Amino acid sequence: MRGLAVRYGANLALEGVDAAVPHGAIVGLIGPNGSGKSTLLKAIAGAVPAWSGSVRFGGRPVRELAGRVAYVPQREEVNWEFPVTALDVVLMGRYRELGWLRWPGRRDRDRAEAALAQLGLGGLGHRHISQFSGGQQQRIFLARAMVQDPVLVLLDEPFTGVDVQNRQVFHERIQAFGKAGVTVLVATHDLDEVRAMTTHVLCLNRRMVAFGPTATTFTPANLRATFGGQVAVFEQLPVFEELR
């Protein structure tokens, strides 16, 4: 990401993002509400245009790899009454490779069902997406990401409103992506998760405040600069508590 900035109309939503993410890194995107985390993910995914700057992956414009960039949205952005089943949603991850004029075949269905089973939803692909809990709905979109054979995975607040079991499923899958050499960016308010599972941190507050390895970037000074008075930092204890 070089000099990346995004505008919504006359409003500058994000600017000054200049970072080179290592291949296979797990990056935590942190910042207060309205800081630009979701906007950054959407700009990388090509869902919103960059006002200035560029996003490249492996030296190529990221749009050239659109079929292998997996995006898991926030639950609030999904119409859960739309008439599709869990299996339908997962199979959407195969459409870029198949092309829009080809129907998924048996192999594609097998992969989709296997991804659901791997995430603890085996045999439930026939259910309408509204029949699942919030955490299970998030798992369905995670399964969609898995069948894309992604090189880059973008997760927008995957831990919000999910229980411990669903949180663990996401944690394990994110780690598996990283071990397979897949680059992962996770927007989250959960600072404990950032500290526990990421290799790098990108701090945002309408502009990039800091970026680097978690061990050297996830510091009280950078948290204060990012959150201001919205976060209480206990320097003598390994606790970072966000104030809501």
Side-chain angles (χ1 to χ4, degrees):
M1 297 170 281
R2 295 301 182 198
L4 186 63
V6 177
R7 279 185 181 271
Y8 292 125
N11 298 316
L12 189 62
L14 184 67
E15 64 177 328
V17 180
D18 201 331
V21 176
H23 177 74
I26 300 173
V27 183
L29 305 182
I30 63 173
N33 289 333
S35 62
K37 298 187 298 296
S38 294
T39 295
L40 177 58
L41 292 182
K42 290 175 181 177
I44 295 170
V48 299
W51 180 65
S52 65
S54 63
V55 182
R56 302 178 70 85
F57 189 96
R60 299 166 57 189
V62 73
R63 64 180 177 274
E64 295 181 4
L65 300 167
R68 300 191 67 190
V69 176
Y71 174 62
V72 178
Q74 295 186 35
R75 289 190 62 252
E76 291 77 9
E77 297 182 4
V78 178
N79 177 6
W80 297 106
E81 299 304 318
F82 194 79
V84 291
T85 66
L87 186 61
D88 292 332
V89 171
V90 180
L91 283 171
M92 291 175 188
R94 302 295 302 152
Y95 288 161
R96 287 272 189 173
E97 181 175 319
L98 293 172
W100 292 103
L101 299 180
R102 290 178 55 194
W103 288 97
R106 182 70 259 173
R107 176 177 174 273
D108 301 299
R109 294 181 66 87
D110 287 345
R111 287 198 60 186
E113 289 171 352
L116 286 170
Q118 191 172 347
L119 297 179
L121 299 175
L124 302 179
H126 63 284
R127 290 188 181 180
H128 185 270
I129 54 173
S130 65
Q131 296 179 320
F132 294 88
S133 70
Q136 290 174 326
Q137 289 171 340
Q138 287 287 74
R139 288 196 223 177
I140 293 168
F141 277 85
L142 183 58
R144 184 184 70 171
M146 290 165 60
V147 302
Q148 282 185 245
D149 296 325
V151 294
L152 175 63
V153 176
L154 310 171
L155 301 154
D156 197 355
E157 300 289 354
F159 305 115
T160 300
V162 300
D163 59 22
V164 173
Q165 180 181 6
N166 284 295
R167 183 178 292 253
Q168 184 63 27
V169 169
F170 265 81
H171 192 282
E172 291 173 357
R173 176 41 47 184
I174 289 169
Q175 295 297 327
F177 278 137
K179 290 177 181 177
V182 178
T183 305
V184 182
L185 276 68
V186 187
T188 181
H189 284 91
D190 193 319
L191 301 184
D192 286 331
E193 287 285 3
V194 170
R195 185 179 51 192
M197 75 176 184
T198 64
T199 62
H200 292 70
V201 175
L202 199 159
C203 303
L204 289 174
N205 196 338
R206 297 286 183 132
R207 64 180 300 113
M208 193 178 82
V209 176
F211 170 74
T214 303
T216 56
T217 308
F218 193 71
T219 64
N222 282 336
L223 289 175
R224 288 196 192 92
T226 303
F227 290 94
Q230 296 185 45
V231 68
V233 181
F234 301 91
E235 296 191 49
Q236 302 305 314
L237 297 171
V239 175
F240 300 89
E241 180 184 355
E242 188 168 353
L243 303 180
R244 298 190 182 277

